[in-house]
């Protein structure tokens, strides 16, 4: 697209006589000189609509080389930001030119020459004082001055004279004054600069007005608000000056510079003033206005929001509100719960989105710029989707109290530990829950049963404690007397990486099967050696969600001498031949029921979980005489709320 625009521009330029061709001056090529300090230099990041080419009727004669964009000083090019120098931003001149070409007849082109330096005093443009000003200029300004060979006025005049070979200078745009706030000589010095420009370029003042933009007001709290009055009074000293109002122009957080929307508005006002001066009815170009997202008063901070941030929030309708600062982005997408939302720019570098009502529970989400997913910096991170992901909790009502901590309920501990697995020759990580009573002195000789609890594909050993709230479910269940105090062990299961195919029939798994020898040969012995466990099969259980359920089938049904309890939550158990799997274990129901103290399976009623066919499998197992217990989570899909509910249903049946 950019190549096409350059081709169109080049064709248009060749169609009009320019300086390098030694042709006659084109009276329909209107040229404007732009000078000033940081707000003319441009302090806002251009957004997508600013970077779209304005077409061949709006041109820039660069005042410095810009190799990255193929620009050379003194050679006309398309006028897309940055107009001032490399690494500067959006300026009023950008939308001044766009407004002017929209307002003037099609045969008229507009060109700008742009010289501006952040923080420069007006004396930096007065020819007689430039040398002394450069000598005393602050260090941070030296490089900017050097870009203009330490004489910004001379650079402006030199290029203006060259431009006069191509077209006619019709006006001078200035945005300067902040540095001279309260300076009684300022207006007179502006007149000196203007008079010298008119003299050096042989301009008739009555034909070339000075258009002076006013400063950031910020509702009367602008850093240089005191400068407003002296700019408003400039026409009293310079009768050809017109002041461009900055009333209600939005500003950046520093209250010194405009934001992108403010520069667009001020630029359009410059363009409208010039159009009227030239005798044309002003016509504004289309500006994509930010779609304002109203956050209702009932919206509260999501519990997964990192403290100190204002978003994400959730309202009473369970709609979630997100915001991110991404001033250089052209498009930002929110991806949550299988739906993508285009985030809306606010004109200040921020982007916002509001979702449709979300189902209660935990949800992963990402933001996306340029096709790359990233984690919202305002939210807690959770390992899921094979990587660190953003997450948001959409609160349930009182029905969710079973997975919330409560005052007066003794809290167990979730420990992070590393152990060495000799079977694979590596250090591995696990999370271990111990009930509150485990630490009590009176229980120092008491031993506990163990539940090995596995997560699903693309998640890790932290999932059950972070996303699943396992520890609170345990604490509340133990406190109520429904759940036997137990140790819960959670390991990665070697299923953090994406599934890459292979034979994964039950009992012949390739994905995640490297964990089996670790669990049996390293993890269980380590837990038994380092925690007060009951080590017989009657006090050992295994359960898992999704692919963790698949692993539970593989491990337990192949080692029933080691486990007496098993459970799956939305288990990824497909194509299982109940008559042949695991050496035909299900064809011997009396033996199975005698060994397996409790066999539990569950799923949600929606989406993927509905397609898993868990309910039918349980029905078929029962028909074979297997004592299988089934629970269904109404209204939930393949998600953590389903599995929280499943864990709550399973726990009271363990070790009883």
């Amino acid at each position: 697209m950019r190549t096409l625009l350059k081709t169109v521009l080049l064709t248009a330029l060749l169609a009009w006589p320019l300086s390098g061709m030694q042709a006659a001056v084109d009276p329909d090529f209107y040229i404007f000189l732009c000078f000033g300090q940081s707000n003319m230099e441009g302090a806002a990041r251009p957004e997508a609509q600013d970077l779209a080419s304005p077409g061949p009727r709006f041109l820039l004669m660069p005042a410095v080389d810009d190799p990255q964009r193929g620009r050379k000083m003194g050679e006309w090019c398309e006028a897309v930001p940055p107009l001032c120098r490399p690494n500067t931003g959006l300026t009023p001149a950008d939308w001044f030119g766009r407004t002017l070409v929209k307002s003037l007849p099609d045969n008229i082109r507009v060109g700008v020459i742009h010289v501006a330096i952040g923080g420069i005093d007006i004396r930096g443009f007065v020819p007689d004082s430039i040398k002394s000003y450069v000598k005393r200029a602050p260090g941070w300004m030296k490089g900017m001055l050097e870009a203009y060979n330490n004489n910004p006025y001379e650079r402006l005049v030199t290029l203006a004279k060259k431009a006069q070979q191509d077209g006619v200078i019709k006006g001078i745009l200035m945005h300067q004054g902040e540095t001279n706030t309260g300076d009684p000589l300022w207006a007179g010095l502006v007149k000196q600069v203007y008079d010298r420009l008119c003299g050096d370029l042989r301009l008739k003042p009555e034909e070339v007005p000075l258009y002076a933009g006013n400063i950031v007001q910020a509702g009367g709290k602008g850093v240089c608000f005191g400068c407003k009055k002296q700019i408003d009074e400039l026409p009293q000293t310079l009768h050809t000056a017109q002041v461009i109002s900055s009333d209600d122009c939005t500003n950046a957080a520093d209250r010194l510079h405009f934001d992108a929307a403010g520069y667009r508005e001020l630029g359009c006002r410059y363009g409208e003033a010039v159009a009227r001066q030239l005798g044309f009815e002003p016509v504004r170009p289309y500006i994509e206005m930010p779609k304002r997202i109203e956050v209702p008063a009932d919206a509260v901070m999501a519990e997964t929001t990192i403290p100190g941030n204002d978003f994400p929030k959730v309202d009473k309708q369970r709609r979630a509100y997100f915001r991110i600062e991404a001033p250089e982005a052209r498009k930002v997408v929110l991806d949550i719960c299988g739906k993508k939302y285009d985030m809306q720019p606010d004109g200040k570098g921020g982007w916002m989105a509001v979702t449709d009502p979300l189902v209660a529970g935990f949800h992963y989400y990402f933001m996306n710029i340029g096709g790359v997913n990233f984690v919202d910096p305002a939210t807690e991170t959770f390992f899921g989707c094979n990587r660190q992901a953003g997450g948001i909790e959409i609160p349930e009502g009182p029905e969710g109290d079973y997975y919330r901590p409560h005052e007066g309920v003794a809290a167990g501990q979730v420990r992070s530990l590393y152990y060495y697995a000799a079977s694979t020759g590596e250090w591995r990580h696990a999370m271990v829950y111990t009930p509150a009573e485990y630490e009590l002195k009176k229980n120092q000789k008491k031993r506990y049963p163990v539940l090995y609890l596995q997560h699903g594909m693309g998640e890790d050993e932290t999932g059950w404690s972070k996303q699943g709230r396992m520890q609170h479910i345990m604490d509340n269940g133990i406190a109520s007397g429904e759940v036997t105090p137990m140790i819960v062990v959670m390991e990665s299961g070697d299923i953090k990486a994406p599934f890459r195919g292979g034979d994964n029939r039950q009992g012949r798994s390739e994905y995640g099967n490297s964990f089996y020898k670790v669990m049996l040969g390293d993890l269980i012995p380590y837990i038994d050696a380092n925690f007060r466990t009951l080590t017989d099969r009657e006090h050992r259980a295994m359960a898992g969600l999704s692919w963790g359920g698949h692993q539970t089938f593989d491990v337990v049904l192949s080692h029933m001498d080691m486990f007496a309890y098993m459970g799956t939550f939305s288990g990824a158990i497909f194509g299982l031949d109940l008559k042949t799997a695991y050496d035909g274990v299900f064809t011997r129901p009396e033996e199975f029921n005698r060994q397996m103290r409790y066999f539990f399976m569950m799923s949600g009623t929606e989406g993927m979980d509905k397609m898993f066919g868990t309910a039918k499998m349980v029905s078929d197992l029962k028909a074979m005489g297997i004592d299988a217990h089934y629970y269904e989570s109404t209204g939930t899909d393949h998600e953590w709320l389903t599995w929280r509910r499943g864990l709550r249903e399973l726990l009271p049946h363990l070790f009883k």
Side-chain angles (χ1 to χ4, degrees):
M1 183 66 180
R2 191 170 181 84
T3 302
L4 176 60
L5 290 171
K6 286 185 176 180
T7 302
V8 171
L9 179 59
L10 180 60
T11 303
L13 291 175
L14 291 174
W16 275 303
L18 296 179
S19 58
M21 303 178 67
Q22 301 299 314
V25 171
D26 181 1
D28 292 331
F29 187 18
Y30 293 178
I31 297 166
F32 296 86
L33 310 182
C34 307
F35 78 96
Q37 56 184 102
S38 57
N39 273 314
M40 182 58 81
E41 185 181 61
R45 293 287 184 183
E47 297 174 357
Q49 60 183 318
D50 309 309
L51 295 168
S53 174
R57 290 181 57 212
F58 181 29
L59 304 175
L60 166 72
M61 179 179 280
V64 297
D65 290 338
D66 187 347
Q68 180 182 346
R69 296 173 179 81
R71 295 175 177 176
K72 291 185 178 181
M73 181 178 66
E75 295 185 6
W76 294 107
C77 64
E78 61 180 343
V80 294
L83 300 185
C84 190
R85 297 186 312 278
N87 303 317
T88 55
L90 190 67
T91 83
D94 284 286
W95 286 83
F96 155 74
R98 293 166 191 256
T99 302
L100 210 51
V101 296
K102 190 76 173 176
S103 304
L104 305 186
D106 291 346
N107 63 304
I108 296 177
R109 292 174 299 150
V110 175
V112 293
I113 300 170
H114 202 284
V115 175
I117 296 174
I120 196 169
D121 189 292
I122 190 61
R123 293 165 179 82
F125 288 100
V126 177
D128 297 336
S129 62
I130 288 175
K131 286 185 179 181
S132 61
Y133 181 79
V134 169
K135 287 181 180 180
R136 66 176 188 276
W140 53 263
M141 191 185 291
K142 297 291 187 183
M144 294 183 281
L145 287 165
E146 288 171 0
Y148 302 114
N149 199 28
N150 289 317
N151 196 327
Y153 176 85
E154 182 180 27
R155 180 66 55 85
L156 185 63
V157 169
T158 298
L159 296 180
K161 288 180 177 178
K162 184 175 183 181
Q164 284 179 310
Q165 299 174 34
D166 305 321
V168 181
I169 296 176
K170 290 288 187 177
I172 300 171
L173 278 58
M174 182 187 79
H175 199 286
Q176 197 281 332
E178 293 94 335
T179 299
N180 294 90
T181 300
D183 183 350
L185 302 178
W186 177 77
L189 293 170
V190 171
K191 186 175 185 304
Q192 283 188 44
V193 176
Y194 174 77
D195 289 344
R196 283 293 295 267
L197 284 172
C198 290
D200 289 343
L201 298 173
R202 299 182 181 180
L203 304 174
K204 296 180 180 180
E206 61 273 16
E207 296 177 358
V208 186
L210 175 74
Y211 302 90
N214 222 314
I215 46 79
V216 165
Q217 298 187 43
K221 297 180 181 180
V223 173
C224 297
F225 186 73
C227 185
K228 181 180 183 299
K229 184 174 183 292
Q230 68 188 45
I231 294 176
D232 284 337
E233 294 175 351
L234 180 61
Q236 297 176 18
T237 301
L238 180 61
H239 74 279
T240 57
Q242 292 187 35
V243 176
I244 309 302
S245 171
S246 62
D247 292 356
D248 301 319
C249 287
T250 54
N251 56 274
D254 62 6
R255 294 182 289 112
L256 179 62
H257 300 100
F258 298 99
D259 60 17
Y263 282 120
R264 292 186 199 110
E265 176 62 30
L266 188 63
C268 288
R269 293 179 185 181
Y270 271 104
E272 290 168 339
V274 172
R276 293 190 190 96
Q277 182 70 26
L278 295 172
F280 298 99
E281 185 66 28
V283 179
R284 283 203 174 199
Y286 172 74
I287 297 178
E288 183 180 338
M289 299 302 292
K291 296 180 181 178
R292 189 172 183 83
I293 294 176
E294 298 292 342
V295 181
D298 64 22
V300 297
M301 211 72 68
E303 58 185 278
T304 39
T305 300
I306 295 173
N309 291 281
D310 295 328
F311 293 90
K313 289 182 176 178
V314 182
D315 68 16
K316 288 186 177 179
Q317 304 302 314
R318 292 178 176 167
R319 293 173 298 192
Y321 299 80
F322 300 87
R323 188 180 189 282
I324 188 170
E325 288 288 335
E328 296 186 52
R330 299 190 184 189
K331 182 177 182 181
V332 184
V333 176
L334 172 72
D335 188 343
I336 182 171
C337 296
K339 184 169 183 177
K340 294 178 178 170
Y341 300 84
D342 287 339
M343 299 188 75
Q344 302 302 320
D346 62 8
K348 300 183 180 182
W351 299 75
M352 283 194 69
V354 57
T355 69
D356 297 333
L358 301 172
V359 296
F362 175 87
H363 304 289
Y364 297 113
Y365 75 94
F366 292 97
M367 291 178 177
N368 184 294
I369 294 177
V372 177
N373 282 340
F374 63 94
V375 178
D376 178 1
T379 194
E380 298 284 355
T381 56
F382 305 83
F383 195 91
C385 310
N386 310 111
R387 55 166 291 182
Q388 289 293 337
I392 186 170
E393 184 77 20
I394 305 300
E396 281 193 292
E399 68 273 18
D401 284 348
Y402 70 93
Y403 58 78
R404 297 182 179 120
H406 295 283
E407 186 177 359
V409 173
Q413 295 183 11
V414 179
R415 312 179 186 207
S416 171
L417 59 85
Y418 289 86
Y419 69 99
Y420 186 75
S423 62
T424 56
E426 63 181 348
W427 286 94
R428 297 178 65 101
H429 184 235
M431 308 296 290
V432 179
Y433 166 86
T434 54
E437 67 170 51
Y438 187 87
E439 305 301 322
L440 299 178
K441 286 185 178 181
K442 67 178 182 179
N443 293 326
Q444 288 306 298
K445 292 185 179 181
K446 182 177 179 179
R447 293 186 173 272
Y448 294 84
V450 184
L451 166 63
Y452 289 86
L453 185 61
Q454 290 304 114
H455 57 85
M457 181 187 299
E459 294 166 332
D460 75 355
E461 62 273 18
T462 64
W464 269 110
S465 56
K466 290 190 71 175
Q467 294 96 296
R469 312 292 179 87
M470 172 279 309
Q471 65 274 31
H472 305 315
I473 299 173
M474 287 293 306
D475 293 340
N476 292 326
I478 293 171
S480 70
E482 296 177 281
V483 175
T484 299
M486 69 186 78
I487 294 170
V488 182
V489 180
M490 297 150 281
E491 225 266 19
S492 77
D494 294 341
I495 55 174
K496 293 168 69 172
F499 175 66
R500 301 191 186 280
D503 188 350
N504 277 288
R505 288 173 290 174
Q506 276 69 28
R508 302 181 182 181
S509 298
E510 294 180 15
Y511 178 66
N513 71 352
S514 56
F515 172 61
Y516 301 164
K517 60 183 178 182
V518 171
M519 179 174 179
L520 299 169
D522 300 293
L523 180 59
I524 291 176
Y526 177 86
I527 295 299
D528 286 343
N530 289 276
F531 292 85
R532 301 194 308 274
T533 64
L534 294 165
T535 60
D536 60 312
R537 68 176 301 275
E538 298 294 326
H539 294 93
R540 188 179 296 125
M542 184 175 181
L545 69 89
S546 194
W547 202 265
H550 183 116
Q551 291 182 311
T552 298
F553 261 53
D554 278 0
V555 171
V556 174
L557 296 178
S558 299
H559 300 86
M560 291 186 66
D561 60 320
M562 296 182 69
F563 300 89
Y565 301 85
M566 65 180 291
T568 68
F569 318 102
S570 309
I573 303 164
F574 314 116
L576 184 67
D577 186 338
L578 297 179
K579 295 180 179 180
T580 62
Y582 306 108
D583 196 27
V585 67
F586 295 124
T587 64
R588 303 185 294 276
E590 291 184 6
E591 177 185 341
F592 180 90
N593 293 338
R594 185 173 62 254
Q595 290 183 286
M596 190 56 55
R597 300 300 187 194
Y598 194 76
F599 177 25
F600 175 84
M601 297 181 74
M602 66 85 59
S603 68
T605 60
E606 308 301 315
M608 184 187 299
D609 264 25
K610 188 176 182 180
M611 296 186 293
F612 272 22
T614 304
K616 183 180 185 307
M617 182 183 295
V618 173
S619 178
D620 292 344
L621 285 167
K622 286 184 175 181
M624 295 174 67
I626 298 297
D627 188 10
H629 301 269
Y630 179 68
Y631 167 74
E632 201 165 67
S633 172
T634 303
T636 61
D637 196 348
H638 205 67
E639 58 189 276
W640 277 103
L641 185 54
T642 299
W643 308 324
R644 292 174 187 172
R645 291 175 177 177
L647 182 63
R648 179 184 59 170
E649 292 296 321
L650 169 65
L651 289 174
H653 300 283
L654 298 181
F655 312 121
K656 296 291 180 71

